[in-house]
Amino acid sequence: MGSTKPLRLIQHKKEALWFYSFISFGYDHVFNPGQYTEDMRDISLEHARLHSRALKVVDVGGGTGFTTLGVVRYVDPENVTLLDQSPHQLDKARKKKALRGIKIMEGDAEDLPFPTDTFDRYVSAGSIEYWPDPQRGIREAYRVLSADGVACMIGPVRPTFWLSRFFADMWMLFPTEEEYIKWFEGAGFKDVELTRIGPKWYRGARRHGLVIGCCVTGIKKQSGDSPLQLGPKAEDVSKPHVNPIFVFFRFLIGTICATYFFLVPIYMWIKDKIVPQGRPI
């Protein structure tokens, strides 16, 4: 008897688009401090090997530009492209002075509007969880990179605690570490590495999962398209959904489940203050 497939009510582009239209106003000041800190971003970008200001970099699913702010510390803004499907998130990015000079555009992570072998570095943080077909998105990362290019994927990790796992499966995609590696290698990447990250007050705990919990990198060794061939996309956000009421239902329930993961960092922060240092939490 097979296992039940997770609902993942906001692992769809349409629901994600609505979701971010509501939370974009407080994304940098409410979400990031508890889930994706500057320290986590900077540790992850070290693995992207941004060693030259002349590198051409694309930040896919970059939203408000939080990760892009880290990128432009190492790369000239005119060499950086920020792509996201949410116009509300991109409006926030356009208002950041440090991001003046970068190219900002709407686009689909699973169907990138760039020629093959365009960029030296591919960065994506907090985006894969909304991709209906993560293998397709990682295949696109491979395609748009030039030879010896590096992809750096920053994303969630699956909980092991039963209640957290339930809400994770109701909300969006929380991959296992093994799945990340399988997708990267399947797309053609070599030297794939996974680094665990998380807020300092978690003390390395991962049982509740993490909305941002790992950084995965891989190298494209030769130019050209990915050796992996796939069929049609699972979802096209430009096409209207056949049942708007169904979409709204998914969005509403998924957002309620997402609230659980806004509370978990607060719970872990309290435990960090109460439990003596040196003991697991």
Side-chain angles (χ1 to χ4, degrees):
M1 187 174 181
S3 59
T4 303
K5 184 178 179 181
L7 288 178
R8 294 172 183 164
L9 296 173
I10 302 189
Q11 192 196 349
H12 294 262
K13 298 188 183 79
K14 183 67 72 174
E15 288 88 348
L17 191 62
W18 288 8
F19 184 69
Y20 278 102
S21 71
F22 284 97
I23 72 167
S24 62
F25 71 94
Y27 187 82
D28 288 333
H29 306 293
V30 177
F31 172 84
N32 281 339
Q35 309 282 3
Y36 183 33
T37 64
E38 289 187 10
D39 287 343
M40 293 166 63
R41 177 194 67 192
D42 295 344
I43 290 171
S44 298
L45 290 179
E46 287 178 8
H47 295 277
R49 307 180 194 180
L50 303 174
H51 52 63
S52 169
R53 300 204 66 84
L55 290 170
K56 293 184 65 177
V57 182
V58 61
D59 182 2
V60 173
T64 65
F66 179 76
T67 301
T68 325
L69 287 172
V71 172
V72 297
R73 290 167 55 187
Y74 304 100
V75 179
D76 290 336
E78 59 266 26
N79 295 326
V80 178
T81 299
L82 166 58
L83 177 143
D84 198 277
Q85 73 150 352
S86 170
H88 304 90
Q89 293 283 80
L90 293 179
D91 283 345
K92 299 294 183 182
R94 291 188 178 97
K95 295 176 182 177
K96 294 179 178 176
K97 292 182 179 179
L99 298 183
R100 290 177 182 173
I102 73 168
K103 182 177 182 180
I104 298 178
M105 60 187 296
E106 291 183 36
D108 184 350
E110 295 181 357
D111 188 13
L112 295 174
F114 310 113
T116 300
D117 301 329
T118 297
F119 297 99
D120 302 303
R121 299 291 184 270
Y122 170 104
V123 174
S124 182
S127 181
I128 189 175
E129 55 265 37
Y130 302 109
W131 301 353
D133 187 352
Q135 179 67 87
R136 182 181 300 277
I138 294 172
R139 181 196 181 280
E140 277 291 272
Y142 183 98
R143 182 184 66 80
V144 301
L145 281 170
S146 57
D148 297 320
V150 178
C152 178
M153 181 78 64
I154 306 163
V157 289
R158 184 165 172 77
T160 56
F161 181 61
W162 70 271
L163 184 61
S164 299
R165 190 168 62 246
F166 169 79
F167 281 108
D169 287 343
M170 290 288 287
W171 181 19
M172 61 183 185
L173 174 67
F174 280 73
T176 64
E177 294 179 354
E178 293 76 17
E179 284 176 318
Y180 279 109
I181 294 171
K182 181 184 72 174
W183 291 330
F184 264 68
E185 292 180 343
F189 284 106
K190 305 298 182 183
D191 301 333
V192 178
E193 297 180 354
L194 184 145
T195 302
R196 292 181 171 183
I197 58 175
K200 292 179 178 179
W201 61 91
Y202 274 59
R203 300 188 200 174
R206 301 174 77 78
R207 65 195 299 260
H208 293 292
L210 288 157
V211 175
I212 298 291
C214 70
C215 163
V216 188
T217 56
I219 300 174
K220 178 178 178 177
K221 293 291 188 177
Q222 57 187 22
S223 61
D225 200 354
S226 168
L228 180 65
Q229 298 302 310
L230 300 173
K233 283 195 302 182
E235 179 187 14
D236 186 348
V237 73
S238 65
K239 295 180 180 179
H241 199 286
V242 293
N243 190 336
I245 296 176
F246 177 69
V247 174
F248 177 74
F249 171 78
R250 292 182 62 96
F251 165 75
L252 180 63
I253 302 301
T255 302
I256 292 172
C257 294
T259 303
Y260 175 86
F261 285 94
F262 282 86
L263 298 176
V264 166
I266 299 173
Y267 165 72
M268 295 299 290
W269 182 84
I270 293 172
K271 287 190 71 175
D272 178 56
K273 298 299 180 183
I274 296 174
V275 178
Q277 292 296 317
R279 293 178 54 186
I281 58 173

